[in-house]
Amino acid sequence: MPQIRRLPSTLVDRIAAGEVVERPASALKEVVENAIDAGASRIAIALTDGGLTRLEVTDDGCGMSAAQMELALERHATSKLPDALIGEEGAIERVETLGFRGEALPSIASVARFTLESRVPGAAEGWRRVVDHGELVEEGPAPLPPGTRVRIEQLFARVPARRKFLRTARSEYIASLDVVRRLAMARPEIAFTLTNGAEGKDRTVLRTQGGEPLATRVAQIIAHELKDNSVPLDLVRETPHGKMRLTGVAGLPTYNRGVADHQYLFVNGRPVKDRLLVGAVRGAYSDMLARDRHAVLALFLELPAEDVDVNVHPAKTEVRFRDAAGVRGFIVSGLRQALATGDRRSAQGPDRKAMDRWQSEPAAPAPEESLASIFSGRDWSAPRPHSGQVAEPRADWRDPAHALPMGRAEEAAPIPEEARQYPLGIARGQVANTYIVAEAADGLVLVDQHAAHERLVLERLRAGGAGEAARRSQALLVPDVVEMDEVDCDRLEDAADGLARFGLVIERFGPSAMLVRAVPSAIAKADTERLLADLADDIAKHGKQENSGALLLAERLEYTLATMACHESVRAGRVLSVAEMNALLREMEATPRSGQCNHGRPTWVKLSMEDVEKLFGRH
């Protein structure tokens, strides 16, 4: 009979390390978080081969004495839990530091060669401890400035089963860079430096200054263009335990990406990857982006410690909210409110590649000397001769009947003084019966008439209650019975109330089947079996939505409205009068979300006067 026995301490440490240390990036995260908790104002990170060979973190925090260093390398020893939070009456969920378990350093030291050097401010010298895969091999004084330096080498060198699952140096570097970027974004008051060495060459990858404004730090890390293509967030809502605050930067819908890798989410200063927050972002942008496009943003949610559990996962990348529906609603409404202040904007300026394709007219060669006399002394601004008269010599010798092609644009009147307040300017004409050309006080505006009118029609449909009409139920003459996996049935049953608000009426029909009694009238011909399967998958991925049951159902109904708007909007190729063009521009200026069409593409772009002058070499 197998006997129960205690595992060796070295094996216990390696098992614990498996929960905390998955790859160099996870070890780096733990060490940098320790530096932040130590009150550092400068953190320098150096990688070799993406951290596979070596990673080093140096900070100017509070440092540790020799005795504290010895304790730090013992399991479950930490300085981050005050006495008030320890004991039977303690409330560990109120911890505010990034780490508090006391597992990270001993776990890392059990699977790598780990060097810890630290010096307390005011101490005559620092101290060094070297632990090689769980065994102390060196200890003594160390010369270094106040602060702490951690060096991790030969990660998993004695655990080949883990080592072989590590990826290439490039992949590990990318993962480590993502960790540093997220932590640097969360702490704009701290200066970060990251260097990566490969093939004997060190390269500075990231360098930030401490004390930067949040928007500046976010734009520096994500993309410099984000600063001009985003709106700021700063909203507060009261909760039973205090205030919930949402800050950050939200990219305009027209500034989007094909993957969701540029969405950075933080809860109480912790970088997280939480499906509820991801679903909230998707819901907020659902009617402004195509399904395969993703918003670019950085959201910082702060709420009372009692309202969030950060102790769900050892790596602390997942959280659990006391009021999940309230948090999601706050984020969705907050994002929509913020975008409403900038939703008439489009992605700023034309694409640089498009600008590079502008063609300059080549300079005409000077006439030969023998022909110069026929060009000299001419007043080419004089009126051209009427038909039947002898035309004076000209360089082009074109037929006078075709010399002055007539455009459809009306006579260009001066811009009235009040028109200078119009962001989209005054219409001057139409190109290819598709694009409106307008003159604004600060540049040239091009408007896609179909995309713009499509958005305007959609907003009119919403305002007129078409959305409610689209989600009204149509009862099935014979209810459909859809057999499903029991877990999927549980998900749908739990979300049934929200689905009913959008016109989908379902109920449980035994352990592994759902009964469909009614569907939204807008999708009355939908395949109910496929619809329920898709909804169950969507709930599993993004969580239950209180108002609609599932994001997918809301999106399908939004798609119906968008299709209606597309069919009722001004088509490309339709000739518009200048009065019609100006009316469209004025309505765009007064309509929410008019800066992007229903698929997230810009409805207008502006070419600044500076850009126009550059095209003609006048800058």
Side-chain angles (χ1 to χ4, degrees), residues 187-233:
R187 305 286 173 162
E189 73 277 9
I190 300 177
F192 283 84
T193 304
L194 171 63
T195 60
N196 184 49
E199 299 179 354
K201 297 181 180 178
D202 289 339
R203 181 170 64 95
T204 300
V205 180
L206 178 70
R207 187 188 300 276
T208 65
Q209 303 297 320
E212 293 176 319
L214 178 61
T216 302
R217 173 66 63 90
V218 168
Q220 180 181 356
I221 292 176
I222 298 181
H224 290 291
E225 314 92 72
L226 182 63
K227 194 170 185 178
D228 295 325
N229 292 285
S230 62
V231 292
L233 290 160

Side-chain angles (χ1 to χ4, degrees), residues 28 32 43-47 55-58 180 192-196:
L28 178 64
V32 174
I43 301 176
I45 303 126
L47 305 177
L55 69 85
E56 184 174 294
V57 177
T58 306
V180 176
F192 283 84
T193 304
L194 171 63
T195 60
N196 184 49

Side-chain angles (χ1 to χ4, degrees), residues 146-167:
T148 302
R149 179 164 57 226
V150 174
R151 185 182 303 111
I152 301 171
E153 302 167 289
Q154 305 171 22
L155 185 64
F156 298 135
R158 299 185 189 175
V159 192
R162 298 293 302 274
R163 180 80 182 185
K164 69 179 182 181
F165 281 100
L166 295 180
R167 299 187 179 181

Side-chain angles (χ1 to χ4, degrees), residues 23 140 185 194 286 339 410 436 438 455 493 552:
R23 59 196 306 186
M185 208 178 299
L194 171 63
S286 62
L339 290 171
E410 299 173 13
I436 298 171
R455 167 57 69 178
E493 184 180 25
L552 182 63

Side-chain angles (χ1 to χ4, degrees), residues 68-394:
Q68 289 176 324
M69 291 171 63
E70 183 178 359
L71 272 176
L73 289 170
E74 292 185 9
R75 291 179 57 75
H76 305 303
T78 181
S79 64
K80 302 177 183 183
L81 279 176
D83 292 338
L85 301 184
I86 300 176
E88 294 183 2
E89 302 299 323
I92 192 173
E93 67 273 9
R94 295 179 59 189
V95 66
E96 296 182 352
T97 51
L98 293 175
F100 56 89
R101 295 168 177 264
E103 289 184 285
L105 296 188
S107 296
I108 297 170
S110 69
V111 292
R113 182 177 176 86
F114 183 86
T115 303
L116 178 63
E117 299 172 298
S118 192
R119 177 183 169 190
V120 178
E125 60 183 1
W127 195 257
R128 174 191 292 118
R129 288 178 68 90
V130 181
V131 179
D132 192 358
H133 290 80
E135 297 181 7
L136 180 64
V137 296
E138 184 182 338
E139 183 176 16
L144 77 160
T148 302
R149 179 164 57 226
V150 174
R151 185 182 303 111
I152 301 171
E153 302 167 289
Q154 305 171 22
L155 185 64
F156 298 135
R158 299 185 189 175
V159 192
R162 298 293 302 274
R163 180 80 182 185
K164 69 179 182 181
F165 281 100
L166 295 180
R167 299 187 179 181
T168 64
R170 177 67 181 173
S171 297
E172 298 300 339
Y173 156 70
I174 291 173
S176 296
L177 174 61
D178 183 64
V179 165
V180 176
R181 291 174 68 170
R182 291 178 186 274
L183 290 171
M185 208 178 299
R187 305 286 173 162
E189 73 277 9
I190 300 177
F192 283 84
T193 304
L194 171 63
T195 60
N196 184 49
E199 299 179 354
K201 297 181 180 178
D202 289 339
R203 181 170 64 95
T204 300
V205 180
L206 178 70
R207 187 188 300 276
T208 65
Q209 303 297 320
E212 293 176 319
L214 178 61
T216 302
R217 173 66 63 90
V218 168
Q220 180 181 356
I221 292 176
I222 298 181
H224 290 291
E225 314 92 72
L226 182 63
K227 194 170 185 178
D228 295 325
N229 292 285
S230 62
V231 292
L233 290 160
D234 194 351
L235 301 109
V236 178
R237 177 180 292 181
E238 293 290 340
T239 73
H241 299 101
K243 293 183 178 180
M244 181 164 53
R245 185 182 183 194
L246 182 67
T247 58
V249 175
L252 294 175
T254 46
Y255 185 74
N256 53 61
R257 298 290 178 88
V259 293
D261 291 351
H262 293 80
Q263 293 181 0
Y264 298 87
L265 308 172
F266 305 85
V267 175
N268 288 352
R270 300 175 184 272
V272 298
K273 296 180 181 179
D274 185 82
R275 70 178 187 178
L276 183 138
L277 301 182
V278 172
V281 170
R282 181 180 162 199
Y285 281 86
S286 62
D287 62 336
M288 294 176 273
L289 284 177
R291 189 172 176 82
D292 60 342
R293 306 300 296 178
H294 301 273
V296 179
L297 47 74
L299 298 184
F300 299 82
L301 179 66
E302 299 174 24
L303 66 169
E306 295 89 343
D307 290 340
V308 58
D309 183 4
V310 299
N311 202 23
V312 177
H313 188 273
K316 299 180 288 297
T317 57
E318 300 175 14
V319 294
R320 184 179 293 122
F321 298 101
R322 181 188 296 270
D323 181 12
V327 170
R328 184 189 183 279
F330 178 53
I331 293 174
V332 172
S333 60
L335 276 172
R336 287 184 172 271
Q337 180 179 336
L339 290 171
T341 65
D343 54 13
R344 295 168 184 82
R345 290 165 53 197
S346 177
Q348 296 301 294
D351 182 75
R352 290 293 98 188
K353 293 181 180 178
M355 287 290 292
D356 293 340
R357 287 194 288 270
W358 279 88
Q359 298 180 9
S360 298
E361 183 68 22
E368 297 180 10
E369 189 173 341
S370 59
L371 298 177
S373 61
I374 68 172
F375 297 105
S376 60
R378 295 288 181 189
D379 180 7
W380 296 103
S381 64
R384 293 182 58 82
H386 295 289
S387 179
Q389 292 181 328
V390 178
E392 292 185 324
R394 284 186 55 101

